[in-house]
Amino acid sequence: MFPKKLREGELTGRFAKRRFINSVLDVSTFPYSRDVTGHRGCVNCLAFSNTHTGSSRESGKFLASGSDDRRVLLWQVGCEVPKKWAKQFIGHESNVMSVVFDTFSETVFSSGRDGFIHKYNIEASHYPAWISAKKTSEVLKISLCPSNPQGSVIVSASVDGFLTLWDWRAGHKPIGFIRCGSSVNSVDFNPVNGNYFASGSRLHGPQLWDMRSSWRSGPRGPECTPTIQYSKLSGLAKNISGVSFDKLGKHLICSAAKYFPTLYAIEEEIPKCVFENKNFKDYCTYKSAQFGGNDDQFVVSGSDDFRIYVWERPPIDGAPGKEEQNTNQNKYWGDDFDILYARKCKAILIGHRSIVNNIAFHPVEPLMVSSGVEKIIKFWSPFPFGPSDLIPTVKRGRSPTIFNSDEEEEEEDEEEAIEGLELSDGDEDGTKEDKMVLRLFDYLNYVEAYHPNMMEAVQSDEDNESSDSDDEARDYDVEDE
């Protein structure tokens, strides 16, 4: 998959290898792709091992993926695209929504819609070595404190409107709570300073929290006050589905529903840059924009139009990037500040057959993976995967189903899609795509685009349910039994 000089170590020295890879990415980004199958449902999350310890020879040795099939699959990533998963971890009772490795790549943690967090030892059983106490709602995201290399300190984000602190050494029950007041969709620790972590919620947008002062011992009480409440400006959606730090811990990229990926300097409330494209869409599902490249010189996000958008990151506050004609500062929000708009994409990658939600970059090699509504994981590289890839081919991604504008026929289409989903037996091992599932998400795409009030009503009901659950007595016994 990689050139001979990369495979055989001809490029001696970490910086020589980095310069070579960056020079290639500067020209071609990721023109080659391969599909990997193994899951039997939508692939909701991806994570490489040792993401923030890129100096290690073992960095990126493993890829973990979580799916609607309730499994976590472990893939061994070498110089070739894996043909089959190396190990599967089981135990979740519903969709797996988040996976993350500890620093030493000895343990995989996962969370899901069943309300549990699982800890799996890679060299041990397929079953979890530790299971958290059940949350009252879905756990959408987890992040491990980098100050604890073994991943003992965990923060989870959940639909019940809480950030929850766990330490598996102390037992199965939570040891701290932050009440956010609405569904918390994402959380990420600063990779350099483990005292801080960021969250993204439905109503309050992106927020920064301090590990030393933000936690309460129980879930009761009013909403907590963040260390920094990042600005929710006019035109900037407040429903944040993803937050992610860059490698230096100085900037934060946020995915906002019905908006564009937005970059913040962690100490400033006002956004620094918005990454735009007229065709980019983030309506239907939770997205997670990421920094990419050896020096985090790209911002990358999947889209509802089945594509992956790659923007070059402008040089903000000393961050890596290029000063080109792809940005302007002619738009102003307010009187005292301006926001940079990056409108020219470095690349738009085509090949997925449905909505793309997740992106992950290998910590040291020129490799990117993506997933979403499909059952596949797609590997991307600036180099050919084999002789058949010597000339990049123009890939035609599947086009969304076009629904008739007649209301009665729309209802029939929806019913047909749902019935097909229930009745579809799939193939023998369940890894082939279910066309009716793809068509169902096409319909959701259509509803968001042409009948947005329908989805807003559903989301409003979800917020009310979250508020109701806040008022109920939730008797977490914080002390371990």
Side-chain angles (χ1 to χ4, degrees):
M1 178 169 64
F2 304 128
K4 182 178 179 182
K5 59 174 63 179
L6 284 181
R7 294 197 312 268
E8 300 181 2
E10 292 182 19
L11 290 173
T12 58
R14 179 182 173 190
F15 295 104
K17 180 177 180 179
R18 175 178 291 178
R19 285 195 299 270
F20 172 74
I21 293 174
N22 285 346
S23 66
V24 174
L25 292 177
D26 188 47
V27 176
S28 64
T29 62
F30 299 94
Y32 303 98
S33 67
R34 285 283 176 92
D35 295 349
V36 172
T37 60
H39 279 294
R40 303 171 190 136
C42 304
V43 182
N44 303 316
C45 47
L46 300 165
F48 280 106
S49 57
N50 283 0
T51 302
H52 296 302
T53 55
S55 61
S56 170
R57 291 178 62 88
E58 295 294 305
S59 272
K61 177 181 179 181
F62 297 114
L63 171 71
S65 57
S67 168
D68 284 359
D69 63 13
R70 302 177 294 178
R71 297 182 300 158
V72 175
L73 296 186
L74 187 72
W75 309 81
Q76 191 156 353
V77 182
C79 291
E80 303 295 334
V81 174
K83 296 180 180 179
K84 181 177 172 55
W85 44 265
K87 192 169 186 176
Q88 66 172 337
F89 300 106
I90 58 178
H92 277 287
E93 300 171 1
S94 188
N95 308 10
V96 180
M97 301 303 295
S98 180
V99 290
V100 62
F101 286 90
D102 72 329
T103 303
F104 300 114
S105 302
E106 297 173 349
T107 308
V108 179
F109 294 83
S110 63
S111 68
R113 293 195 181 277
D114 56 3
F116 289 105
I117 301 171
H118 288 184
K119 170 181 176 284
Y120 299 98
N121 295 328
I122 291 178
E123 299 298 334
S125 169
H126 298 280
Y127 297 95
W130 174 84
I131 302 177
S132 69
K134 184 178 176 64
K135 284 282 292 178
T136 58
S137 68
E138 306 157 7
V139 181
L140 299 179
K141 188 79 177 197
I142 54 174
S143 185
L144 307 185
C145 179
S147 302
N148 301 87
Q150 292 183 332
S152 57
V153 177
I154 309 164
V155 174
S156 66
S158 51
V159 173
D160 61 2
F162 279 86
L163 291 161
T164 309
L165 181 65
W166 312 80
D167 189 335
W168 55 262
R169 299 169 301 182
H172 301 278
K173 296 181 179 179
I175 59 175
F177 301 85
I178 295 175
R179 183 173 181 176
C180 298
S182 68
S183 174
V184 190
N185 303 322
S186 185
V187 63
D188 192 39
F189 266 101
N190 187 311
V192 176
N193 187 347
N195 289 325
Y196 296 98
F197 62 95
S199 68
S201 67
R202 169 159 172 71
L203 294 182
H204 299 300
Q207 298 173 310
L208 187 72
W209 305 90
D210 191 326
M211 283 286 288
R212 298 162 293 186
S213 59
S214 298
W215 298 105
R216 292 177 179 166
S217 59
R220 298 180 182 275
E223 292 182 18
C224 300
T225 302
T227 304
I228 297 179
Q229 171 64 66
Y230 294 107
S231 178
K232 303 187 294 292
L233 302 172
S234 175
L236 177 58
K238 57 189 176 183
N239 184 4
I240 303 297
S241 61
V243 292
S244 182
F245 282 99
D246 64 1
K247 293 176 182 177
L248 299 178
K250 294 182 178 180
H251 292 93
L252 188 70
I253 192 71
C254 300
S255 297
K258 302 182 181 179
Y259 200 65
F260 303 99
T262 304
L263 183 145
Y264 291 85
I266 63 168
E267 297 179 351
E268 299 180 29
E269 298 178 3
I270 305 302
K272 284 289 191 178
C273 184
V274 177
F275 297 86
E276 287 189 353
N277 185 281
K278 64 180 181 180
N279 296 317
F280 176 86
K281 295 180 178 63
D282 185 352
Y283 285 82
C284 283
T285 56
Y286 290 138
K287 307 290 190 300
S288 183
Q290 299 289 328
F291 294 103
N294 278 32
D295 297 321
D296 282 348
Q297 66 266 40
F298 303 123
V299 167
V300 186
S301 178
S303 170
D304 288 347
D305 66 356
F306 309 170
R307 300 175 181 181
I308 297 172
Y309 289 78
V310 182
W311 292 271
E312 203 152 44
R313 181 179 174 186
I316 298 174
D317 300 335
K322 284 193 173 181
E323 198 74 65
E324 291 189 359
Q325 299 283 322
N326 61 346
T327 58
N328 70 61
Q329 289 179 281
N330 297 325
K331 280 194 176 181
Y332 290 84
W333 284 346
D335 298 325
D336 302 324
F337 56 88
D338 57 351
I339 297 175
L340 197 63
Y341 284 75
R343 293 191 172 91
K344 181 181 178 182
C345 284
K346 175 74 173 178
I348 300 176
L349 307 180
I350 300 173
H352 276 282
R353 291 162 289 178
S354 192
I355 299 171
V356 185
N357 296 327
N358 312 293
I359 306 291
F361 280 85
H362 195 284
V364 292
E365 301 293 354
L367 182 66
M368 180 181 77
V369 292
S370 59
S371 70
V373 170
E374 299 164 272
K375 299 177 183 180
I376 59 133
I377 300 171
K378 191 175 282 288
F379 282 67
W380 302 85
S381 173
F383 307 112
F385 291 98
S388 61
D389 296 325
L390 291 179
I391 301 177
T393 57
V394 177
K395 305 178 185 66
R396 293 185 179 181
R398 172 182 164 270
S399 298
T401 304
I402 299 176
F403 291 90
N404 197 303
S405 61
D406 182 84
E407 292 185 2
E408 292 183 1
E409 293 188 12
E410 288 170 14
E411 293 177 0
E412 292 176 0
D413 286 332
E414 181 182 23
E415 291 174 1
E416 181 183 347
I418 295 174
E419 288 175 3
L421 174 61
E422 293 174 348
L423 297 175
S424 176
D425 294 327
D427 55 301
E428 184 176 345
D429 61 0
T431 59
K432 291 184 178 179
E433 299 297 342
D434 187 331
K435 294 182 181 179
M436 297 311 296
V437 172
L438 304 185
R439 193 162 182 263
L440 177 60
F441 278 91
D442 288 352
Y443 183 80
L444 295 176
N445 231 335
Y446 165 79
V447 170
E448 281 284 11
Y450 297 102
H451 302 283
N453 293 335
M454 293 172 59
M455 298 303 292
E456 288 176 3
V458 172
Q459 291 170 344
S460 177
D461 290 341
E462 291 177 352
D463 290 337
N464 291 334
E465 291 176 5
S466 176
S467 178
D468 291 341
S469 67
D470 289 344
D471 296 332
E472 293 174 358
R474 281 186 285 177
D475 297 324
Y476 283 105
D477 185 2
V478 179
E479 296 181 2
D480 194 30
E481 294 177 349

